[in-house]
Amino acid sequence: MPMNLIDTHCHLTFEQFGGDVKQVIQRSIAAGITGWITVGTDLADSQKAVELAARFENMFAAVAIHPHEAKSADQAAIAQLRELARNQKVVAIGETGLDFHYNFSTPQQQQECLIRHLESANELNLPVIIHCREAFDDTVEILESSGEGIKNIVFHCFSGSVEQAKIVLEKGWYISLTGVVTFKNANKTREAAKLVPIDRLMIETDAPYMSPEPMRKQKVNEPALLVHTAKVVAELKGMEFTKFAEAVTATTKQFFGLPDLV
Ligand SMILES: [Zn+2]
Ligand SMILES: [Zn+2]
């Protein structure tokens, strides 16, 4: 039976797919995942994401400079990114945000980079995909001070607490869950997931990373495996699977303003 799930966050341009995206997409469609948002992580990768999205029906792109690469986000790079974002297959600015786990760029570089991205999203009237790791309070603060007027904001790969989920929802933002929600030690994330109303909830693989259980040993995650995460989240929400799939896809289309898929 057709499900038409959408993988709202994957990196199909990454070398782990070895240029074999066509087969990845075929396996995805066979598993009922028939839409994809491939997410750029720097200027060159965002360009690749736009080019890849042009090749596949139902594939869209998000463009941004990831917080890890924030040091490369000078004025010229942001200007180029904005140009790229005008492509009709681009449906979001992202992923952007703060990652204080690695600090590959300094916190200050990351904060400035995030603010530039929020300004761009506002100007282009695009939603924003937020990457947030060990930086929840700072991220919320910047979104509050510089995110006003942005139509939709999602915390991708959410693995926070019930308290953090409540804050995200209270602000009117969205939560997207990866395979983390299937991991044995992820009770905290499962408790948080239960709280999220279906019209504020999305799902994603973050492929090639984060393979869900029971496929966690598969080194290169791919959109076909989204179905495992979907099943766990449907159960947490106490929803029959096809009803869940329908509802989560409706939320995704609304969030990104996607056209009707095939
Ligand atoms: Zn991320
Ligand atoms: Zn990602």
Side-chain angles (χ1 to χ4, degrees):
M1 119 186 38
M3 292 184 295
N4 300 327
L5 285 168
I6 299 169
D7 186 350
T8 64
H9 188 120
C10 48
H11 299 283
L12 298 175
T13 56
F14 281 19
E15 61 182 9
Q16 285 90 335
F17 296 111
D20 189 21
V21 177
K22 214 169 166 186
Q23 287 188 27
V24 170
I25 292 303
Q26 279 167 359
R27 287 195 292 273
S28 177
I29 291 170
I33 293 90
T34 54
W36 312 269
I37 296 170
T38 191
V39 176
T41 53
D42 62 21
L43 197 54
D45 185 50
S46 294
Q47 174 79 52
K48 281 189 209 161
V50 172
E51 284 164 12
L52 190 66
R55 284 179 40 207
F56 294 94
E57 214 166 16
N58 295 351
M59 190 187 292
F60 303 90
V63 297
I65 296 165
H66 191 282
H68 290 338
E69 312 295 333
K71 53 182 172 301
S72 74
D74 55 18
Q75 259 188 358
I78 295 289
Q80 279 178 275
L81 199 71
R82 284 193 201 199
E83 269 317 295
L84 206 51
R86 294 184 196 279
N87 184 289
Q88 58 165 1
K89 276 276 182 131
V90 173
V91 294
I93 296 293
E95 54 188 303
T96 179
L98 303 175
D99 191 320
F100 294 166
H101 182 74
Y102 292 112
N103 280 326
F104 289 145
S105 296
T106 67
Q108 201 198 340
Q109 285 168 332
Q110 294 185 43
Q111 283 156 354
E112 283 168 8
C113 181
L114 171 56
I115 291 169
R116 296 290 96 81
H117 279 75
L118 295 174
E119 288 167 356
S120 304
N122 227 334
E123 191 186 288
L124 295 156
N125 197 27
L126 287 170
V128 174
I129 300 168
I130 292 292
H131 170 105
C132 171
R133 188 160 182 203
E134 292 173 26
F136 185 77
D137 293 347
D138 293 64
T139 303
V140 169
E141 203 182 300
I142 292 180
L143 291 177
E144 280 188 306
S145 57
S146 303
E148 211 188 330
I150 290 178
K151 59 174 181 186
N152 287 319
I153 293 173
V154 62
F155 277 61
H156 109 88
C157 195
F158 184 85
S159 52
S161 63
V162 163
E163 288 69 32
Q164 290 174 341
K166 281 184 180 162
I167 292 169
V168 171
L169 294 170
E170 213 177 80
K171 306 287 180 198
W173 304 329
Y174 290 65
I175 283 175
S176 181
L177 300 166
T178 54
V180 166
V181 79
T182 70
F183 295 172
K184 287 187 178 64
N185 62 355
N187 276 325
K188 183 185 76 169
T189 304
R190 277 187 288 277
E191 286 311 307
K194 286 181 194 167
L195 274 184
V196 187
I198 191 75
D199 62 353
R200 302 280 284 286
L201 177 69
M202 296 191 283
I203 53 175
E204 60 173 84
T205 56
D206 207 9
Y209 310 121
M210 302 273 173
S211 294
E213 292 290 2
M215 304 299 289
R216 204 168 169 185
K217 288 202 183 82
Q218 180 169 322
K219 276 214 175 66
V220 179
N221 190 12
E222 60 177 60
L225 301 188
L226 184 65
V227 68
H228 301 289
T229 300
K231 280 180 181 156
V232 167
V233 180
E235 233 165 79
L236 289 171
K237 296 301 300 168
M239 291 175 80
E240 192 261 319
F241 185 69
T242 49
K243 284 266 177 329
F244 169 78
E246 210 174 285
V248 82
T249 295
T251 302
T252 301
K253 285 183 180 175
Q254 182 271 327
F255 180 93
F256 291 102
L258 298 184
D260 274 332
L261 309 183
V262 290

